[in-house]
Amino acid sequence: MNKQPTPSSRNNRATESDGPPPASPSLLRSFLDQHLVLFLALAVGAGFGCGALAVFVDGLSTDGIPFLEWSVGLYVVPPVVLGWTAIRSWAATIAGSAAYLSAVLGNLTTTHLAADSYNMLEYGVWALVGLIMGSILGFLGNRIRAHATGVRAFAAGFPLGIMALFLWMSARLHIRTGGEAVHLGSLILEGILTLLILALCRGWAARGAALVWALVLSVPFGFGLLYVFSVVWFASGDY
């Protein structure tokens, strides 16, 4: 006697078609999930350190192009990796926002200690960007571990689209100025960080789809970037 498939069995087969279920949380992820204060402290420390490192990378360029504006790898990757590490999505969202805000603070603190000129209103705009983007990137970093291929692809494609846009702009400026405006080292760093996000996405099909999403999303990201830079320019008072 043939047994008709039930809706639940069809759903199970659809889920199984996406590949094997993800492995249970590692000891490190479980430990950080049980000690959320430590996890948030790690987010703040990692973000602050990356923001400070961005000032050093900026110093490699002879024209002093602000790395905070021309490169985003050191600001995008920490929230994504922290979200990927977190077990719970709400913890990933908070950690991502804390990491991005700390990166902006680290950049500001290091710039101040280096006695370089800066505009507090500009950093205020970047802090607002960090509050919003950090939470989004942290949440999406957590979804990169999702079982569904499409979810993993979009979650990885979103940050990849941001980084690809800035990498393309930086590469064009590097070629146009003969490497004076944007140092080759910063381009290599951006490329490595981009590959890191791609490596976090499990499955070659998901990675390929993530690259497609990155290409598609780079267009609206370009308009968003124009808007953010316009606000930063207005806040600087250089008009």
Side-chain angles (χ1 to χ4, degrees), residues 32 36-51 78-79 81-83 91-103:
L32 292 176
L36 292 178
V37 174
L38 178 61
F39 182 54
L40 292 179
L42 177 64
V44 171
F48 191 92
C50 286
V81 173
L82 287 164
T93 302
I94 296 176
S97 183
Y100 206 123
L101 285 172
S102 299

Side-chain angles (χ1 to χ4, degrees), residues 6-29:
T6 62
S8 60
S9 63
R10 285 195 294 266
N11 291 337
N12 289 337
R13 283 199 298 270
T15 303
E16 291 170 359
S17 64
D18 285 326
S24 17
S26 63
L27 292 177
L28 176 61
R29 294 181 66 208

Side-chain angles (χ1 to χ4, degrees), residues 29 53 83 120 182 186 194:
R29 294 181 66 208
L53 178 61
M120 282 300 299
V182 179
S186 66
T194 301

Side-chain angles (χ1 to χ4, degrees), residues 148-235:
T149 301
V151 176
R152 295 200 309 272
F154 179 81
F158 189 95
L160 284 174
I162 299 175
M163 297 182 64
L165 176 62
F166 277 83
L167 186 58
W168 175 73
M169 293 172 54
S170 300
R172 286 191 60 190
L173 187 60
H174 172 81
I175 295 173
R176 186 183 305 169
T177 62
E180 294 183 359
V182 179
H183 195 274
L184 179 61
S186 66
L187 293 178
I188 295 176
L189 176 62
E190 286 294 290
I192 293 174
L193 294 175
T194 301
L195 291 177
L196 173 60
I197 292 184
L198 193 60
L200 295 179
C201 186
R202 177 171 45 90
W204 290 106
R207 290 168 184 164
L211 293 176
V212 175
W213 271 116
L215 181 62
V216 172
L217 292 174
S218 62
V219 177
F221 285 161
F223 289 101
L225 174 65
L226 180 61
Y227 174 77
V228 171
F229 275 18
S230 299
V231 175
V232 171
W233 173 72
F234 182 79

Side-chain angles (χ1 to χ4, degrees), residues 46-169:
F48 191 92
C50 286
L53 178 61
V55 178
F56 168 75
V57 177
D58 176 34
L60 298 176
S61 302
T62 56
D63 285 358
I65 300 296
F67 190 75
L68 179 65
E69 298 177 2
W70 281 108
S71 180
V72 294
L74 291 172
Y75 300 88
V76 169
V77 172
V80 173
V81 173
L82 287 164
W84 180 81
T85 305
I87 294 180
R88 289 178 276 190
S89 58
W90 65 266
T93 302
I94 296 176
S97 183
Y100 206 123
L101 285 172
S102 299
V104 176
L105 179 60
N107 187 287
L108 172 61
T109 303
T110 308
T111 301
H112 177 75
L113 294 176
D116 290 335
S117 59
Y118 58 90
N119 189 306
M120 282 300 299
L121 290 179
E122 291 186 30
Y123 277 95
V125 174
W126 286 117
L128 179 60
V129 172
L131 179 65
I132 299 173
M133 288 302 301
S135 60
I136 295 175
L137 292 170
F139 175 79
L140 290 177
N142 184 259
R143 302 311 298 157
I144 291 179
R145 286 186 177 272
H147 185 49
T149 301
V151 176
R152 295 200 309 272
F154 179 81
F158 189 95
L160 284 174
I162 299 175
M163 297 182 64
L165 176 62
F166 277 83
L167 186 58
W168 175 73
M169 293 172 54

